[in-house]
Amino acid sequence: MNVPPALNRSLKPLPKAPVRMVHLGLGAFHRSHQAWYTQHAPDAAEWGIAAFTGRRPDAAEVLSAQDCLYTLVERSAGGDSFEVIGSIVEAVDGADLTRLCELVAAKETAIVTLTITEAAYGLAADGTFDAGAPGVAEDLRALSAAASGGPGVERPAPGTPLGRLVLALAGRRDSGAGPIAVVSCDNLSANGEVARRAVLGLASGWGSGLTQWIEGNVSFVSTSVDRITPRTTEEDIAEVAEQCGYSDGSPVVAEPFRNWVLSGDFPAGRPRWEDAGAVVVDDIEPYENRKLWLLNGSHSILAYAGQLRGHATVADALADPACRQAVEDFWDEAAHHLQAAGLDIPAYRQALLERFGNARIAHRLAQIAADATTKLRMRAVPVLTAERASGRTGSGAALMLAAWIDYVAVNGDFQDPLASEIRAANELEGTERVQALLRLVSAEIAEDSSVVSLVSGLCGTFTAKSAAPTPL
Ligand code: CS2
């Protein structure tokens, strides 16, 4: 059997741009989205990305072994197309703080982008910075030790991505390299503001000098990001070897659709992403809400309702009339609060049905189901609250919460920053259990007894044998 040659820059001679961007969270989504936009910007030759992993070094090792090149498999309903992406020029273990500090302190570095997951911003249920969130207290201590440490004192090692970023920003301040932009690309409403609060919260461990410098020199850009990127499988790796004639240990599969809306300042410049299709706006909120509620919200409904009904992928769940009806009902509610000019909700909904229905993209519901307490806060609660403020029940949004509550009753194997709190709440019964679980998502809705009884009444809607729920 012929072994195909390994992918590298002599096989695919893509230019290697100088590092001007640092990315935290080297995963499939960064590679299908920001790295794609950067490669397709007309000034790509000036903008290389140094991407750092999160918890494990693996992704950096695999990518470094192939000169940071990888194949983007664009998977449409009709077939696959392949493109080698070369905009990442350095892939680094996230624990390598020396290299992170060196790069963030460099004058040439203009931007730090983030895909660190919603849960990594250390948000409390009321949306404020939570000094008690996992890893945050340790990082505050590490940063405080770093601030007071002179020569000979062992360097601290913050472990959270934002703790690491704060350490690196302190280095930038000391180097005099000047202002920089931090660009959150995680699915959070007002993600720039959330990043700002989280970075300032952690920087308070260092001291007021650093927080003041950050306030004056770091621009927090908000973005809405979109490209469905399922986890790469062994079959995908084999397919690339067969179709492309080289071996790639780390290809990325994504749908053809992509969207990036940005709002904020780039004091040290940025690639011309708008020439690659990104949209720069003054007011990002309507776009963010459209994406977070319609796409991510319905994803969460499908993740919990779909798995309860025995489905494994988004396309399978959407084909089930019970799940489809729940999605449409939720979309009707969300649409009441998406009235800004130019949003074209009917076309957006139609496009989502086509995107979700692309059965060649095996987007696993189990992947979407993770980190529910953080995700539902952005996806269900704002629509529920807005509907109730308008005098309606919000039952479509409430059904998303009920489906999650049923899901954690039967699936002990979930990932969530509040997993132990969920397990404790699961020990309770009936309405008390529902209220305790809702409290982990939003204290406010958990205190509203009519919401608790609405959600309790909707529990049990999705069982393997249930019929399509009747519209409420
Ligand atoms: C999904 C998102 O896993 C999830 O929570 O809803 O990753 C979704 O696929 C992306 O936001 C699409 O752009």
Side-chain angles (χ1 to χ4, degrees):
M1 194 181 96
N2 279 347
V3 179
L7 178 59
N8 59 42
R9 284 187 202 253
S10 50
L11 195 72
K12 296 278 165 189
L14 285 171
K16 202 167 179 181
V19 174
R20 296 210 56 208
M21 280 188 281
V22 166
H23 180 75
L24 302 189
L26 172 54
F29 181 70
H30 169 64
R31 298 196 284 140
S32 76
H33 191 271
Q34 302 99 63
W36 182 93
Y37 276 94
T38 304
Q39 167 136 324
H40 288 264
D43 46 359
E46 294 160 38
W47 291 92
I49 303 170
F52 288 74
T53 60
R55 289 193 193 90
R56 289 190 310 269
D58 315 23
E61 285 163 6
V62 180
L63 219 52
S64 300
Q66 47 192 55
D67 286 346
C68 297
L69 297 182
Y70 59 93
T71 312
L72 178 68
V73 182
E74 213 170 88
R75 183 157 291 167
S76 71
D80 289 351
S81 64
F82 306 87
E83 179 185 8
V84 177
I85 304 285
S87 50
I88 297 179
V89 295
E90 200 178 319
V92 194
D93 175 1
D96 186 346
L97 298 184
T98 309
R99 186 64 183 142
L100 178 69
C101 290
E102 203 168 84
L103 285 172
V104 173
K107 185 133 194 72
E108 299 71 37
T109 302
I111 301 168
V112 178
T113 49
L114 308 172
T115 53
I116 55 178
T117 78
E118 294 94 321
Y121 289 79
L123 285 184
D126 63 359
T128 56
F129 173 67
D130 180 6
V136 170
E138 291 86 336
D139 274 12
L140 283 167
R141 274 196 297 278
L143 290 165
S144 151
S148 54
V153 175
E154 205 183 308
R155 291 203 73 137
T160 70
L162 294 182
R164 290 169 175 172
L165 175 59
V166 167
L167 182 73
L169 288 173
R172 184 165 181 100
R173 176 196 59 172
D174 295 345
S175 75
I180 191 166
V182 169
V183 185
S184 169
C185 300
D186 285 293
N187 290 315
L188 292 157
S189 34
N191 54 13
E193 178 53 26
V194 169
R196 194 178 74 86
R197 262 187 269 141
V199 166
L200 286 174
L202 280 158
S204 69
W206 190 281
S208 60
L210 184 59
T211 52
Q212 268 167 26
W213 183 85
I214 291 174
E215 271 162 358
N217 291 277
V218 181
S219 164
F220 290 91
V221 176
S222 276
T223 71
S224 169
V225 292
D226 195 1
R227 190 164 206 183
I228 291 170
T229 308
R231 217 162 267 158
T232 305
T233 63
E234 288 302 323
E235 291 77 51
D236 298 325
I237 293 177
E239 189 208 359
V240 170
E242 197 184 309
Q243 298 293 321
C244 302
Y246 53 72
S247 81
D248 180 344
S250 192
V252 175
V253 178
E255 63 172 340
F257 179 92
R258 60 202 159 246
N259 185 248
W260 198 7
V261 187
L262 301 104
S263 182
D265 295 332
F266 289 84
R270 62 164 172 79
R272 282 175 43 200
W273 288 315
E274 63 274 46
D275 292 354
V279 184
V280 181
V281 298
D282 289 332
D283 180 13
I284 198 164
E285 203 186 324
Y287 299 94
E288 237 170 41
N289 289 345
R290 180 177 68 175
K291 197 268 169 167
L292 272 174
W293 298 345
L294 298 185
L295 188 149
N296 298 112
S298 58
H299 256 177
S300 289
I301 294 177
L302 295 171
Y304 306 118
Q307 290 190 90
L308 284 167
R309 287 180 55 82
H311 306 299
T313 67
V314 170
D316 286 350
L318 189 73
D320 177 339
C323 298
R324 167 78 182 265
Q325 183 65 54
V327 164
E328 297 277 1
D329 291 346
F330 175 70
W331 280 349
D332 288 345
E333 288 184 357
H336 294 139
H337 313 284
L338 293 168
Q339 300 288 346
L343 289 183
D344 199 351
I345 300 304
Y348 193 89
R349 283 171 66 156
Q350 186 52 38
L352 281 183
L353 290 175
E354 280 157 30
R355 293 171 64 193
F356 288 1
N358 176 358
R360 297 193 67 247
I361 291 265
H363 198 183
R364 317 293 302 171
L365 297 172
Q367 183 183 345
I368 299 168
D371 296 342
T373 51
T374 321
K375 289 178 178 176
L376 293 172
R377 215 172 275 159
M378 314 284 159
R379 302 177 182 193
V381 175
V383 175
L384 178 66
T385 312
E387 279 293 90
R388 296 184 73 79
S390 306
R392 290 181 290 270
T393 62
S395 55
L399 188 54
M400 189 192 312
L401 295 163
W404 168 64
I405 287 170
D406 284 344
Y407 172 78
V408 292
V410 296
N411 185 321
D413 186 25
F414 52 81
Q415 177 196 314
D416 197 287
L418 299 180
S420 52
E421 286 85 346
I422 294 174
R423 291 207 172 87
N426 260 341
E427 299 292 312
L428 303 168
E429 277 177 22
T431 313
E432 269 187 24
R433 174 176 169 269
V434 169
Q435 186 177 29
L437 287 166
L438 287 179
R439 194 170 291 122
L440 302 177
V441 176
S442 156
E444 207 180 310
I445 61 165
E447 290 322 309
D448 184 336
S449 58
S450 57
V451 171
V452 177
S453 59
L454 172 68
V455 173
S456 302
L458 291 166
C459 283
T461 304
F462 299 104
T463 58
K465 293 188 191 65
S466 71
T470 37
L472 293 151

